[in-house]
Amino acid sequence: MSTFQAPKGTYDLTPPRSATFLAVREAIAAPLRDSGYGYIETPGFENVELFARGVGESTDIVTKEMYTLTTKGGDQLALRPEGTASVLRAALEANLHKAGNLPVKLWYSGSYYRYERPQAGRYRHFSQVGAEAIGTEDPVLDAELLILADQAYRSLGLRRFRILLNSLGDKECRPVYREALQTFLRDLDLDEETRRRIEINPLRVLDDKRADVQKQLTDAPKLRDHLCDACKAYHEEVRALLTTAGVAFEDDEKLVRGLDYYTRTTFEFVHDGLGAQSAVGGGGRYDGLSEMIGGPELPSVGWALGVDRTVLALEAEGIELDLPRTTSVYAVPLGEEARRVLFGVVTELRRAGIAADFAFGGRGLKGAMKSANRSGARYTLVAGERDLADGVVQLKDMESGEQGPVELAEVAAELTKRLG
Ligand code: AMP
């Protein structure tokens, strides 16, 4: 193994591709910020307990994929595999729900860790931007979150994504369905592990990808037929609000998702250009999670969108984001005196808010101009001894190729004017 290799299942973000990642994070966050969501940041690790109780003892995430560690002080910690449990924990700890302003609307952006088998679009370290609306049961809130995610994807230019929507029922009707499903599943021809799953998390069996399992599931009882009237009405309302907003969705009664805490509204965003790892984001309502981690009753809803897969989706659709230039002005000094003077100009430009860079290392004109080109700068400033003697620098417009002298004292004002 080379010393310069990132750990298995991880990769580095380096320029220029890293700029796209930043822009994607920003594009997902923008509609949230404009809709009353406040930024929250929580630690990269939590007590193992939080995820065991919150995400669920029976989920793959907790049983197989969590990076756990024991600290030198004997604490059992886990690198966070997802965001919701941490955000809810932090909101409870800070008593945000008691400030008399429900729902508490929060957004976050960060790194998550799952010990999964790496493949295209599936990594052991990945990034999500997420949103949670805590403490209110209102179908308008579920619709708001779906609409904002749709808006974020559309603002990036994505078109080949679909929203899959389902309702998982609530604490009244879900247990009744669960039992009916268990009774049905126990009679099927299934392996030991799947049999165990029937007892702890039978809904997950519906998610089994194997054809021989799926074949036996054709006549499985459907959650839709077991939803109580309150859940049905709630779901119809969410659907109607989405339709009114012009957000297309597909009803998918097989959608159960890998986390235990979901109730009622559940959804996934899938992209059709990504192959096997097609889920770009997902979420839903988690009315019972607060109580599961020892808090009060706080019905909530949220989602997390994967940044890595969103970038892959952009690439699959051939979308190049219109990213702002990083450098507007590039300074090329010819000689010692020019280095000092032009570096002074660069500093002045930067203080005036103009993105400027400098040809470091005393290179010759040809090499320095190559760097100026690569930087994408709209303008270059070139100065040699003769220019300095005349009190000017040469300003070149890299798009038109036009070049002319500008008085040293006027450079910042001239560039501010030209760059608008
Ligand atoms: P989940 O928390 O499993 O619902 O995941 C939400 C989103 O995070 C998914 O739709 C993916 O975009 C992203 N995601 C989850 N796990 C991974 C992973 N191992 N690698 C890359 N992205 C992931």
Side-chain angles (χ1 to χ4, degrees):
M1 191 177 65
S2 152
T3 331
F4 298 131
Q5 200 159 40
K8 186 174 173 189
T10 72
Y11 65 102
D12 304 302
L13 294 176
T14 53
R17 200 165 172 256
S18 54
T20 305
F21 274 75
L22 272 184
V24 165
R25 287 200 184 103
E26 180 53 35
I28 300 174
L32 297 169
R33 253 194 246 113
D34 288 347
S35 308
Y37 289 75
Y39 180 66
I40 185 167
E41 201 164 312
T42 65
F45 50 81
E46 296 275 352
N47 290 320
V48 165
E49 243 333 81
L50 175 70
F51 301 118
R53 285 214 254 160
V55 178
E57 299 274 16
S58 68
T59 60
D60 283 352
I61 292 182
V62 169
T63 54
K64 298 183 191 154
E65 298 168 3
M66 213 149 62
Y67 282 89
T68 52
L69 60 121
T70 307
T71 66
K72 293 204 170 70
D75 294 331
Q76 298 278 337
L77 301 178
L79 299 187
R80 57 184 181 187
E82 59 102 48
T84 304
S86 309
V87 167
L88 187 56
R89 194 267 310 137
L92 289 168
E93 183 172 339
N95 279 319
L96 299 185
H97 60 298
K98 289 188 184 157
N101 196 19
L102 296 179
V104 177
K105 300 210 285 187
L106 301 165
W107 75 273
Y108 57 89
S109 171
S111 291
Y112 297 86
Y113 308 86
R114 292 182 197 172
Y115 188 72
E116 297 197 80
R117 200 166 42 77
Q119 63 181 89
R122 189 161 74 188
Y123 312 106
R124 292 180 172 177
H125 164 265
F126 57 96
S127 298
Q128 291 182 339
V129 175
E132 315 289 350
I134 297 165
T136 305
E137 187 187 276
D138 183 344
V140 181
L141 199 52
D142 306 39
E144 166 173 292
L145 277 162
L146 278 155
I147 292 166
L148 293 176
D150 178 79
Q151 189 180 325
Y153 283 146
R154 285 188 187 280
S155 77
L156 286 165
L158 289 171
R159 292 296 175 264
R160 287 174 61 201
F161 68 89
R162 291 178 289 131
I163 299 176
L164 309 180
L165 185 67
N166 195 18
S167 172
L168 290 183
D170 64 5
K171 57 175 186 285
E172 303 303 321
C173 54
R174 173 101 142 260
V176 182
Y177 172 67
R178 191 185 141 103
E179 251 190 69
L181 182 63
Q182 279 175 325
T183 309
F184 172 85
L185 294 173
R186 284 187 194 119
D187 284 342
L188 302 183
D189 178 23
L190 298 166
D191 59 276
E192 266 316 299
E193 197 187 330
T194 313
R195 297 206 148 274
R196 266 198 301 279
R197 185 167 283 169
I198 296 174
E199 303 313 319
I200 16 185
N201 199 345
L203 268 71
R204 285 301 308 282
V205 179
L206 298 178
D207 218 11
D208 202 307
K209 300 280 183 283
R210 291 170 296 184
D212 59 311
V213 178
Q214 277 304 325
K215 213 168 68 200
Q216 300 186 66
L217 294 175
T218 325
D219 294 327
K222 300 214 175 345
L223 182 52
R224 196 176 48 193
D225 302 330
H226 287 75
L227 288 185
C228 61
D229 288 344
C231 282
K232 266 190 212 151
Y234 194 97
H235 198 56
E236 280 316 309
E237 185 62 17
V238 175
R239 296 175 76 252
L241 288 162
L242 291 177
T243 304
T244 306
V247 171
F249 59 89
E250 295 168 23
D251 294 307
D252 180 358
E253 51 179 21
K254 286 236 174 78
L255 184 71
V256 292
R257 301 188 38 75
L259 295 81
D260 272 356
Y261 52 60
Y262 287 110
T263 49
R264 289 198 169 170
T265 314
T266 320
F267 49 84
E268 204 154 87
F269 293 84
V270 293
H271 190 275
D272 291 326
L274 294 187
Q277 302 304 314
S278 63
V280 285
R285 187 153 270 289
Y286 49 92
D287 294 340
L289 179 58
S290 174
E291 287 153 297
M292 279 160 82
I293 64 171
E297 191 184 340
L298 281 173
S300 307
V301 56
W303 51 241
L305 309 187
V307 178
D308 309 76
R309 287 187 200 165
T310 303
V311 171
L312 292 175
L314 286 172
E315 289 168 358
E317 288 201 41
I319 298 169
E320 292 223 15
L321 299 180
D322 189 14
L323 300 174
R325 280 174 215 274
T326 46
T327 303
S328 300
V329 180
Y330 197 93
V332 177
L334 304 171
E336 271 311 304
E337 175 65 8
R339 275 162 65 79
R340 280 192 290 271
V341 173
L342 272 192
F343 186 61
V345 172
V346 163
T347 302
E348 190 189 348
L349 291 174
R350 288 172 176 169
R351 287 180 178 151
I354 295 174
D357 206 355
F358 186 80
F360 295 96
R363 277 170 303 161
L365 182 62
K366 209 169 137 203
M369 285 310 283
K370 257 196 202 150
S371 300
N373 261 320
R374 260 200 297 264
S375 78
R378 173 71 197 270
Y379 295 101
T380 50
L381 293 172
V382 184
E385 271 171 41
R386 201 178 311 149
D387 299 307
L388 295 181
D390 294 344
V392 300
V393 297
Q394 300 296 326
L395 174 62
K396 181 174 180 187
D397 182 330
M398 301 294 276
E399 265 169 36
S400 67
E402 272 168 49
Q403 183 174 328
V406 178
E407 300 254 336
L408 252 177
E410 297 300 319
V411 175
E414 176 66 21
L415 282 168
T416 306
K417 193 177 81 197
R418 291 206 196 190
L419 288 162

